[in-house]
Amino acid sequence: MERLYNINNPELHDTVAKFIELCQPSSVFVASDAPADWNYIRQSAMRNHEESPLKLKNHTVHYDAYGDQGRDKKNTRYLLDDPNYLEPELNQMDRNRGLDEMHGLMNGIMKGKEMFVCFFSLGPVDSQYAIPCLQITDSAYVAHSEHILYRTGYRLFERHGRKAKFFRLIHSEGRTSEGPLGLMVCDNLDSRRVYIDIKDETVYSVNTQYGGNSIGMKKLAMRLAINRACSEDWLTEHMFIMSVSARYGRKVYLTGAFPSMCGKTSTTMVPGESILGDDIAFLRNAGDCVRAVNVEKGMFGVIHGINPKDDELQWKALRDPQNEVIFSNVLVKPDGDIYWDGMDKEIPEKGINHSGVWQRGKKDPAGKEIPVSHKNARFSISLDCLDNVDMRLEDPVGVKVRGMIYGGRDSDTWVPVEEAFDWQHGIITKGASLESETTAATLGQPGVMTFNPMSNLDFLSVPVGTYVQKNLEFGAKCQNPPRIFSVNYFLKDTESDTYLNTKTDKHIWLKWIANRVHEDADAVRTPTGMIPTFGDLKEIFKEVSGRNYSQEDYVRQFSFWAQSHLHKIDRLLVLYRDRVKNTPPVLFEVMEAQRARIDDLRNRKGDIVSPFDL
Ligand code: OXD
Ligand code: MN
């Protein structure tokens, strides 16, 4: 009580009282920023059987119920009064009906449990970017994860007092039963719901544990932040922030938006560069440039495939017993150590994983073989455990963004790297035109090509067209907006169905981007943007990987495939005309102009044009 009363904010007190009354926990723990409080929460995660210690000290494992290992898009809904505000894909429902349902689900949901009341900050605490957040949850695992991933914000609430315009994140895992390793997992997945009440800046999440649904500070707060950003003329983006050194040792900060599991985190981890954030950024117009901060301070990373050879830095951080790490949905071996898919060649015969007792060849009820670890198995770790963490992570004014990258999973259209002609062209033909194959980060069928503007579709709390318009205005108001690039790590050779890039090539594209930003690299003009010259790439390949880049490689990777581009434009125009609300008219003009440039090239040079003929 004393901790609550130290914060001079009656609205906060009302909120806490309201949810105590509704959820009826048996006790309430209010966490300040003090390490002892967080130690208590960490211990509670073990005591309440949500995490279990592993062989390496400071490492724990958590399981989500079978079928609760991804974001539940179907049951994630915006609560709105206007029934036609958002596009149908964005999944909205009547606000009153949603609130009634949620109050019904939450009535007495914490009986017999402890409620944790926690305070966090989105963005560095002492900065104009900071948004105070109140997290209420009955899951010590959720609170513990947030402590690893976010800055605590008790001090921020104290300082802002009545002026704190805070987000409310309310979570309950609901009924649980004993799962793998005796850990408690959700038992009521049929009533799993994530409801976002924009009007009250409150998100409710019940009957789920998977971090993407339950960690309020992550994708739930992000949805609220997108709405707030749109009404205040700044941007909340699904973007990493990293620094890349260009020629002569000059550093540039870049942001990058990729759908989940499309190489976003691994891009930030390329050796020799530094990571400032791997998932969510706030961007503001600082007059003469755009600046950005990382909303988080840790990563909730996908662990699949991480191995000591390709991912040395992450590997080192994840295997160090000094570092506090929570692993989820990995295999625990009989000796108490863990294993995940792709970790090394020797797959254990048996252990405990997200399906319970597991042995090689185990099938699920549908007859599908259960992998050793879930494809969306994750780890939570603070960024400061990484050797390559950028020293400006906590800079309250953020970093100057010189380039913005959009990348998706696209096997046949986009070249590995290309720069847009300008901000407007980039936002429309790169960001708003992003399409990608679905992945295991969400429940449902992976591998389906979907439209995902700015890789942010899953989190948009405003109509798609409004969001595109806000992006356009943001850059137009800035004297020196970042340059915009697209990348594609997933281009395939159509005949052999094999990737045309290796895992490490992403570093080459980043270097080219960094040089370009400094006007230190040439480019070849295509109908869709500016691509690297063969000479520049050859030099960068040699410097970065010692590889002798050949003309054949260049031709295979950078040829212009007119037909695929035209099909893409057709698909997007239908979407923006028929499905998207409030499409800015300029989008059609820019797309049509792009089509005309492609048609012109095709008439002159044919369907597939070598970069040497452009
Ligand atoms: C994530 C996601 O976890 O986008 O970052 O799914
Ligand atoms: Mn993400």
Side-chain angles (χ1 to χ4, degrees), residues 208-226:
T208 177
Q209 283 166 312
Y210 170 66
N213 300 322
S214 67
I215 298 177
M217 292 294 293
K218 201 168 185 72
K219 295 308 199 299
L220 313 192
M222 182 183 177
R223 295 182 171 94
L224 297 176
I226 288 176

Side-chain angles (χ1 to χ4, degrees), residues 203-478:
V203 184
Y204 304 86
S205 158
V206 294
N207 298 313
T208 177
Q209 283 166 312
Y210 170 66
N213 300 322
S214 67
I215 298 177
M217 292 294 293
K218 201 168 185 72
K219 295 308 199 299
L220 313 192
M222 182 183 177
R223 295 182 171 94
L224 297 176
I226 288 176
N227 182 64
R228 198 187 269 189
C230 280
S231 66
E232 294 176 352
D233 290 339
W234 48 279
L235 297 179
T236 297
E237 295 301 309
H238 193 202
M239 283 180 168
F240 70 61
I241 309 173
M242 72 180 298
S243 126
V244 176
S245 54
R247 282 207 191 95
Y248 317 113
R250 293 185 294 199
K251 260 172 81 149
V252 291
Y253 285 96
L254 306 172
T255 61
F258 297 62
S260 319
M261 305 185 85
C262 289
K264 185 151 143 238
T265 302
S266 61
T267 303
T268 63
M269 298 303 296
V270 294
E273 316 296 358
S274 60
I275 173 172
L276 199 137
D278 83 322
D279 200 30
I280 310 170
F282 287 163
L283 292 95
R284 283 182 182 261
N285 178 355
D288 61 338
C289 67
V290 166
R291 304 190 82 89
V293 295
N294 182 2
V295 168
E296 317 178 279
K297 70 149 182 86
M299 66 210 262
F300 177 58
V302 176
I303 202 157
H304 181 92
I306 291 186
N307 67 71
K309 193 172 133 284
D310 300 328
D311 312 278
E312 205 185 325
L313 293 161
Q314 284 183 91
W315 176 267
K316 188 165 163 242
L318 292 177
R319 296 303 288 166
D320 185 343
Q322 301 285 341
N323 295 336
E324 190 179 352
V325 193
I326 308 175
F327 295 90
S328 62
N329 304 319
V330 295
L331 180 99
V332 177
K333 298 191 288 189
D335 67 356
D337 204 355
I338 54 168
Y339 183 89
W340 61 81
D341 216 350
M343 174 177 180
D344 65 33
K345 304 239 157 7
E346 251 168 73
I347 305 175
E349 288 293 328
K350 59 179 196 291
I352 307 285
N353 76 359
H354 57 290
S355 73
V357 176
W358 177 89
Q359 68 290 325
R360 231 191 277 183
K362 181 177 177 183
K363 303 226 163 58
D364 70 9
K368 231 177 115 211
E369 190 160 333
I370 299 172
V372 58
S373 57
H374 193 274
K375 208 147 184 223
N376 195 26
R378 299 267 178 156
F379 60 88
S380 295
I381 194 169
S382 281
L383 285 171
D384 57 14
C385 296
L386 294 165
D387 288 347
N388 58 335
V389 63
D390 193 86
M391 62 187 184
R392 294 185 59 192
L393 174 60
E394 294 303 328
D395 194 329
V397 298
V399 295
K400 184 168 171 175
V401 181
R402 304 289 301 271
M404 273 170 41
I405 305 172
Y406 294 101
R409 206 171 263 271
D410 166 5
S411 54
D412 65 6
T413 310
W414 277 3
V415 292
V417 65
E418 184 175 61
E419 183 183 348
F421 298 126
D422 54 39
W423 177 268
Q424 186 184 68
H425 178 251
I427 290 296
I428 292 174
T429 70
K430 307 268 182 225
S433 299
L434 205 62
E435 294 177 294
S436 192
E437 290 162 22
T438 50
T439 66
T442 55
L443 304 171
Q445 183 66 23
V448 181
M449 192 66 160
T450 50
F451 164 62
N452 195 349
M454 285 64 157
S455 92
N456 223 353
L457 186 72
D458 285 358
F459 317 111
L460 287 188
S461 46
V462 295
V464 176
T466 306
Y467 170 67
V468 173
Q469 175 65 26
K470 290 285 171 188
N471 265 265
L472 289 170
E473 285 167 14
F474 180 76
K477 283 184 192 158
C478 183

Side-chain angles (χ1 to χ4, degrees), residues 84-90 92 427-428 431-435 450-454 457 460 462-470 472 569-588 591:
N84 297 313
Y85 180 62
L86 297 171
E87 291 82 359
E89 306 41 29
L90 301 188
Q92 70 171 81
I427 290 296
I428 292 174
S433 299
L434 205 62
E435 294 177 294
T450 50
F451 164 62
N452 195 349
M454 285 64 157
L457 186 72
L460 287 188
V462 295
V464 176
T466 306
Y467 170 67
V468 173
Q469 175 65 26
K470 290 285 171 188
L472 289 170
I569 292 182
D570 287 343
R571 279 195 305 273
L572 289 165
L573 285 177
V574 170
L575 278 167
Y576 276 105
R577 203 184 47 225
D578 300 344
R579 305 274 288 275
V580 166
K581 290 184 193 289
N582 312 339
T583 301
V586 67
L587 181 138
F588 298 109
M591 298 274 230

